Amino acid sequence: LRKEGFTVIPSVNWDQVGALNKVREQLHMSIIGPIKSPELYESWGLSRPAGVILWGPPGCGKTLVAQAVANEAQASFILINGPELLNKYVGESERAVRELFQRARSSTPCILFFDEMDSLVPRREGTSSDAGVRVVNALLTELDGVQDRSGIYVIGTSNRPDMIDAAMLRPGRLSVRIFVDLPTEDERVDILRTIFRNLHPGATDAELARLEPVARDPRCHDFSGADLGGLHIKAAECGLRRWLKGEKTARDVDDEDWEHALATTAKSVTN
Ligand code: ATP
């Protein structure tokens, strides 16, 4: 699905997302609700599609929740990679922006997802390039397109929202900022369970019971959701390796597998 530019409704749903309940609520208010119950939101004067910035450390589920939002709202989803858009030939980036909104207009409701927004719209003053300035201007023009924008919802992600051009963040543009933080200890338990349940539909109670102590292990401190995904891969690979070698008969991920994973995985976000 990450294939650039395709217009599809993502298959990711909320069952695949651990924790992040508050983020979900906020996204409901600004995107899912307006798409599913337009009259209600209009009657409260909330008819203009909001633009949202999801920000926070890498690997904490920003792309995942954006896809789950599109799925829940049954909206098309177009993924745009910021740096790639900017690296087009002179003049091509602006045309690409116009074409993206054009494509979105032809399949509303639609979520335009700009990954790494900060690279795409660096502050116009100071060091930013000419190409950067023109892309910002093209985006502002589209975001301000009052009539034409109905049904088009923009979500941008950023690790550094302070790097985004201030004009982009004004009301009516990308004015809703939602912080997606590293998970707490309890949230790690929820996320690891979610990852495991989705990948092992036939998991036994014993396997599920092992996940809580793993996620609470001090070595998981400051792990992102992506790190927990990586931890699971290491544990499962260890289990398979040992099973293939005949070192164990049960086809499960056991304590020894998790211990191996914990001993060889490091957090990816340094703070
Ligand atoms: P980046 O800033 O690097 O783009 P991101 O915040 O968009 O990161 P995602 O790409 O959504 O992060 O997450 C990476 C992977 O980590 C997901 O595909 C998923 O496997 C796992 N993951 C992250 N957060 C969660 C979560 N809350 N629940 C379940 N899985 C998660």
Side-chain angles (χ1 to χ4, degrees), residues 142-171:
E142 293 295 343
L143 288 173
D144 289 343
V146 181
Q147 267 144 28
D148 275 339
R149 229 194 98 197
S150 64
I152 302 177
Y153 296 78
V154 177
I155 301 180
T157 73
S158 171
N159 301 134
R160 294 276 317 269
D162 55 312
M163 296 297 288
I164 296 176
D165 194 294
M168 293 290 298
L169 307 174
R170 280 194 208 126

Side-chain angles (χ1 to χ4, degrees), residues 2 16-20 56-65 113 115 157 159 180 191 194-195 224-227 229:
R2 280 193 76 97
Q16 290 160 256
V17 182
L20 300 175
C60 290
K62 295 184 287 295
T63 311
L64 198 66
V65 292
F113 181 80
D115 203 7
T157 73
N159 301 134
V180 185
I191 293 170
T194 304
I195 290 172
S224 65
D227 293 338

Side-chain angles (χ1 to χ4, degrees), residues 101-155:
F101 277 82
Q102 190 58 49
R103 185 133 51 93
R105 269 191 285 278
S106 69
S107 57
T108 54
C110 183
I111 292 174
L112 277 174
F113 181 80
F114 289 89
D115 203 7
E116 299 183 58
M117 190 89 179
D118 35 14
S119 68
L120 187 63
V121 286
R123 291 175 170 282
R124 279 173 295 181
E125 72 269 19
T127 56
S128 69
S129 63
D130 278 1
V133 174
R134 287 198 304 265
V135 171
V136 177
N137 288 335
L139 265 172
L140 291 177
T141 305
E142 293 295 343
L143 288 173
D144 289 343
V146 181
Q147 267 144 28
D148 275 339
R149 229 194 98 197
S150 64
I152 302 177
Y153 296 78
V154 177
I155 301 180

